[in-house]
Amino acid sequence: MELYLMQVLKMSKKAVVMTRIVSTIMSMLLIAVLFAPSVLAAGTVLLTLSTATQTVSPGDIVSFKVQCDNFDYIDEFGPVRLSYDETVFDFVSVIPSETLSGYMFDSNSNNSGIIDVHAVFNEVEDDETGLVTTPYHSDSPIVIFEVQLRVKPNTNGDTTVQLTSAGSFTGRTSNFTTYVGDPLIITINEGVSSDATLSSLSLEGITLTPAFNPLEYEYSANVARDVQDVIVVATTSNLNATYTVDGDTNLENGENIVSIHVLAQDGISWHEYRIFVNRQENYIPEGSGFVDANGVTYTFMNFPTGYDLPDGFNQTTRNINGYTVPVFAKDGIVSVLVYVYNGVDAPAFYFYNPNTHIAMPYSNERSYFAVGRVLTAAEVPENVKIPTGYNPGSVIIEGTEMMGYVNKYGSFIKYFNDDTGASGFYYYDFVAQRFYNYLSVDKTAEGVYMLLFYIFLSTTVIESIFIVIIAYVTRRLITNRNNPRPKRV
């Protein structure tokens, strides 16, 4: 009995030890769970392949859409690999999904029958709000990209296009296990194609609305007034289809219709795509204008139908106050001619200096040019003296009589304001046929110097006369002393 009790006691001690060991392990596991770094939860992504039709003809462009069954804030995915028979298809393009506009796509294909597509989310911080964009999220299926292949001529039968790898999908909340769906069996029929659709359509440098879809046949676009022709860039879905373009030249103000007529290889099936091109009524961006140095607000207006501008000014564009606007400019002159409205006077041409922000009305009778400056004739202020020797008069300049001031030598000066904010007299060089700054000479000092000169000259002459008289008298006295006259007896 005693031996039995001792054995029971030993077993109890072992049980206690085992309990403590198990308890310690469980505690350590609990601590590890509570304090260990968080481990990303696992998710799944299924990629499938689809196309509008699985029966095609030689020359057809076939679009294959790669669809993801969910997209849970994925930062990066791929490379997703699509495989095809390079003896049947030619690679055309990879089109990223517009839904995933914040992702940078990279694709690799060399017509070897394999296309790899990889994408990375491009995080952007808003400068104003400081908010950072987040990756796209969707619980429903979305198309992540599209692959276009063209069926080669003289091919027929069945061929397979499939996704062979989904690569890796990584997100901020999950790591994903990827799967790919079943391959597609594409049947190529021999014979003549009846496909009269386009696989791509655009106007060079112009945005179409909505985005192109082969099964959408009407679009709209806006162009500036100076656009008279548009360039249509189109690709037929079938290599043997043809298309013609009408209405793409000599656009009128307002709405124009550019039509693209597509004729299938069979010569029977056809479709017409139409682009409604709105040519703006004016050249001027909405809201464009500027405030001059005096605080006056000017609004850009369309040029009038008829105008008389100075020689050498040609139409171009300048960026003024953040707007690209039409102006007239001349080499060597900073100011440009703009047609604007100041809210009070009638719209008119003004010289505008973008450096000094000075705006001066243009007048064929009052506007002239100096070296690098625009001059506007002005009245002489009361506190400004007319240069000495000049009197009111006129001369003929460029066939027109101009009033100003003329001196006895025929020199001509006139008072102007210029586009730098300065004012003053300018003299006209009849040889160079150009105005230059007139520098008035102050002759007060010269008069003083002349007066002093005459005073000193007169003093010198008088002193000289006195010296001559004193010398003469002294000489006579000496002579008389040395040679006294004999006295008469």
Side-chain angles (χ1 to χ4, degrees), residues 332-343:
I333 300 294
V334 175
S335 291
V336 292
L337 270 170
V338 295
Y339 193 73
V340 291
Y341 174 56
N342 63 10

Side-chain angles (χ1 to χ4, degrees), residues 105-168:
F105 279 79
D106 177 44
S107 61
N108 182 29
S109 173
N110 55 6
N111 273 326
S112 62
I114 294 175
I115 301 169
D116 288 330
V117 179
H118 172 253
V120 178
F121 177 69
N122 183 29
E123 187 177 89
V124 178
E125 181 177 347
D126 190 289
D127 292 335
E128 295 183 359
T129 64
L131 298 177
V132 178
T133 55
T134 57
Y136 182 77
H137 172 75
S138 176
D139 293 325
S140 58
I142 68 164
V143 174
I144 57 176
F145 64 89
E146 185 176 337
V147 174
Q148 290 187 331
L149 303 175
R150 186 185 289 279
V151 182
K152 291 185 176 181
N154 304 317
T155 55
N156 62 84
D158 293 341
T159 186
T160 300
V161 178
Q162 61 183 331
L163 295 172
T164 55
S165 172
S168 63

Side-chain angles (χ1 to χ4, degrees), residues 41-192:
T44 60
V45 168
L46 173 64
L47 298 185
T48 55
L49 200 59
S50 65
T51 186
T53 176
Q54 292 181 234
T55 302
V56 296
S57 300
D60 282 350
I61 288 182
V62 188
S63 294
F64 297 94
K65 295 182 178 181
V66 178
Q67 182 172 278
C68 182
D69 66 338
N70 73 91
F71 207 85
D72 190 11
Y73 299 108
I74 293 170
D75 286 302
E76 183 176 359
F77 65 82
V80 178
R81 174 163 291 183
L82 182 144
S83 300
Y84 61 93
D85 188 343
E86 68 270 22
T87 65
V88 176
F89 293 104
D90 282 326
F91 171 74
V92 177
S93 65
V94 171
I95 305 174
S97 169
E98 291 186 356
T99 304
L100 303 181
S101 58
Y103 291 75
M104 302 291 292
F105 279 79
D106 177 44
S107 61
N108 182 29
S109 173
N110 55 6
N111 273 326
S112 62
I114 294 175
I115 301 169
D116 288 330
V117 179
H118 172 253
V120 178
F121 177 69
N122 183 29
E123 187 177 89
V124 178
E125 181 177 347
D126 190 289
D127 292 335
E128 295 183 359
T129 64
L131 298 177
V132 178
T133 55
T134 57
Y136 182 77
H137 172 75
S138 176
D139 293 325
S140 58
I142 68 164
V143 174
I144 57 176
F145 64 89
E146 185 176 337
V147 174
Q148 290 187 331
L149 303 175
R150 186 185 289 279
V151 182
K152 291 185 176 181
N154 304 317
T155 55
N156 62 84
D158 293 341
T159 186
T160 300
V161 178
Q162 61 183 331
L163 295 172
T164 55
S165 172
S168 63
F169 279 62
T170 59
R172 299 190 174 185
T173 59
S174 301
N175 284 329
F176 298 89
T177 303
T178 59
Y179 300 93
V180 296
D182 297 331
L184 293 178
I185 306 298
I186 306 299
T187 300
I188 304 170
N189 288 332
E190 288 185 292
V192 178

Side-chain angles (χ1 to χ4, degrees), residues 303-357:
F303 295 144
T305 54
Y307 44 80
D308 182 20
L309 299 181
D311 293 338
F313 278 82
N314 299 305
Q315 185 174 344
T316 182
T317 59
R318 289 285 191 275
N319 188 293
I320 297 178
N321 198 26
Y323 296 94
T324 300
V325 294
V327 301
F328 290 90
K330 180 180 181 179
D331 290 341
I333 300 294
V334 175
S335 291
V336 292
L337 270 170
V338 295
Y339 193 73
V340 291
Y341 174 56
N342 63 10
V344 178
D345 305 312
F349 279 103
Y350 283 73
F351 283 108
Y352 177 68
N353 188 319
N355 296 334
T356 61
H357 305 292

